[in-house]
């Protein structure tokens, strides 16, 4: 059983398009996250949701809009894709927002914008 | 502000060698947690260990061991008798309050 799953695994698209990445966790966690890993492997938090409410938004462009229909899902929609959006996007979840809670990551979605 | 520094960008060893991956952190918070994650060539991020700021005991898990020294703000990771399957990027991370901050990672290559 996959704890944190993401679809699609790979996404190749043209500049200017709109795309979505889906994330689901079956761990019963309250908190979910999106991270971006750039070509140099640097991982940075983008968003965090707790019980469907946004709690972290790390100065991400407005073209990125997370949506949490329920606490087991956190989807990422990206409008007007740019070349610089090419990266690996990781979804993660943790029991709650407490500092000690470990974050468990999904397998990543490799986005390539041409 | 939080910061995690992994000064070793790449390390290459021969199988069965011991290797230590360094991690130095900065935070003003008195309560924080430190983590290590492994990212093998397949790309997923695998949780290895969590350590809180009040527990400076070293930890050993099989061939893996971690040395937390608050005095030097370091949380180093040692792999004993390395194996080819240990080849991966290893990330050290710090969490204080809401944010998990990652270091830039160390690429470990274990050659047969």
């Amino acid at each position: 059983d996959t704890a944190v799953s993401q679809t699609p695994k790979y996404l190749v698209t043209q500049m200017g398009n709109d795309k979505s990445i889906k994330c689901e966790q079956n761990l019963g966690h309250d908190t979910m996250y999106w991270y971006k890993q750039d070509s140099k492997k640097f991982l940075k938090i983008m968003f965090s949701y707790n019980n469907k409410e946004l709690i972290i938004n790390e100065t991400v462009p407005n073209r990125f809009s997370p949506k949490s229909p329920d606490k087991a899902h956190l989807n990422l929609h990206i409008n007007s894709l740019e070349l610089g959006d090419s990266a690996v996007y990781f979804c993660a979840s943790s029991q709650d927002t407490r500092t000690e809670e470990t974050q468990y990551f999904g397998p990543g979605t490799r986005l390539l914008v041409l | 502000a939080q910061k995690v520094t992994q000064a070793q960008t790449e390390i290459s060893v021969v199988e069965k060698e011991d290797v230590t991956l360094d991690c130095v952190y900065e935070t003003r918070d008195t309560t924080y947690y430190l983590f290590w994650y492994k990212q093998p060539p397949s790309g997923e991020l695998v949780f290895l260990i969590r350590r809180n700021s009040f527990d400076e005991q070293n930890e050993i898990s099989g061939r893996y061991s971690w040395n937390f020294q608050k005095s030097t703000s370091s949380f180093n990771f040692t792999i004993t008798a390395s194996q080819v399957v240990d080849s991966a990027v290893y990330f050290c991370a710090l969490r204080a309050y809401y944010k998990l901050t990652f270091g830039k990672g160390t690429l470990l290559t274990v050659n047969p």
Side-chain angles (χ1 to χ4, degrees):
Chain A
D1 285 345
T2 304
V4 183
S5 59
Q6 296 178 227
T7 53
K9 191 168 181 183
Y10 298 96
L11 190 50
V12 181
T13 188
Q14 299 287 330
M15 226 169 34
N17 284 350
D18 303 339
K19 290 292 177 185
S20 292
I21 307 172
K22 294 186 176 182
C23 177
E24 176 180 2
Q25 53 93 5
N26 63 6
L27 296 167
H29 288 169
D30 288 344
T31 309
M32 296 184 72
Y33 311 82
W34 277 109
Y35 286 83
K36 180 180 180 181
Q37 186 175 43
D38 63 23
S39 58
K40 294 184 179 178
K41 297 282 192 182
F42 184 57
L43 273 158
K44 191 172 180 202
I45 181 91
M46 299 173 68
F47 300 104
S48 175
Y49 271 72
N50 185 58
N51 275 323
K52 303 193 295 175
E53 289 192 20
L54 179 69
I55 55 171
I56 294 177
N57 182 341
E58 283 288 307
T59 59
V60 176
N62 290 339
R63 300 182 295 103
F64 290 79
S65 52
K67 284 188 172 54
S68 183
D70 55 61
K71 70 176 190 178
H73 295 83
L74 181 62
N75 303 324
L76 183 65
H77 188 76
I78 315 171
N79 289 326
S80 304
L81 278 155
E82 300 178 356
L83 295 177
D85 297 332
S86 295
V88 181
Y89 292 85
F90 284 97
C91 177
S93 73
S94 63
Q95 185 63 58
D96 51 43
T97 58
R98 286 177 298 164
T99 305
E100 64 264 34
E101 290 302 321
T102 298
Q103 294 182 20
Y104 295 93
F105 286 78
T109 295
R110 285 138 190 87
L111 171 64
L112 178 60
V113 182
L114 302 174
Chain B
Q2 302 170 184
K3 187 177 179 182
V4 178
T5 302
Q6 294 180 256
Q8 303 150 308
T9 307
E10 294 186 36
I11 300 175
S12 181
V13 299
V14 177
E15 213 171 12
K16 297 185 184 175
E17 283 185 31
D18 299 347
V19 58
T20 296
L21 309 181
D22 297 333
C23 173
V24 173
Y25 63 91
E26 295 174 31
T27 180
R28 293 179 188 161
D29 294 278
T30 54
T31 301
Y32 52 89
Y33 284 76
L34 296 161
F35 301 82
W36 277 94
Y37 286 85
K38 174 182 180 180
Q39 188 173 37
S42 50
E44 70 271 25
L45 279 162
V46 179
F47 164 70
L48 295 177
I49 191 172
R50 177 186 70 192
R51 174 64 55 174
N52 77 57
S53 52
F54 299 108
D55 182 2
E56 287 195 68
Q57 281 193 355
N58 292 333
E59 182 152 344
I60 298 174
S61 175
R63 296 184 297 107
Y64 294 171
S65 62
W66 290 269
N67 179 261
F68 175 33
Q69 291 198 338
K70 215 165 174 178
S71 59
T72 56
S73 297
S74 65
F75 186 42
N76 297 336
F77 173 28
T78 297
I79 302 174
T80 303
S82 60
Q83 300 176 1
V84 172
V85 293
D86 296 326
S87 297
V89 179
Y90 290 87
F91 291 95
C92 181
L94 164 71
R95 189 168 190 201
Y97 199 52
Y98 285 131
K99 276 184 63 174
L100 183 64
T101 301
F102 284 87
K104 293 189 176 180
T106 296
L107 172 62
L108 173 65
T109 302
V110 182
N111 299 299

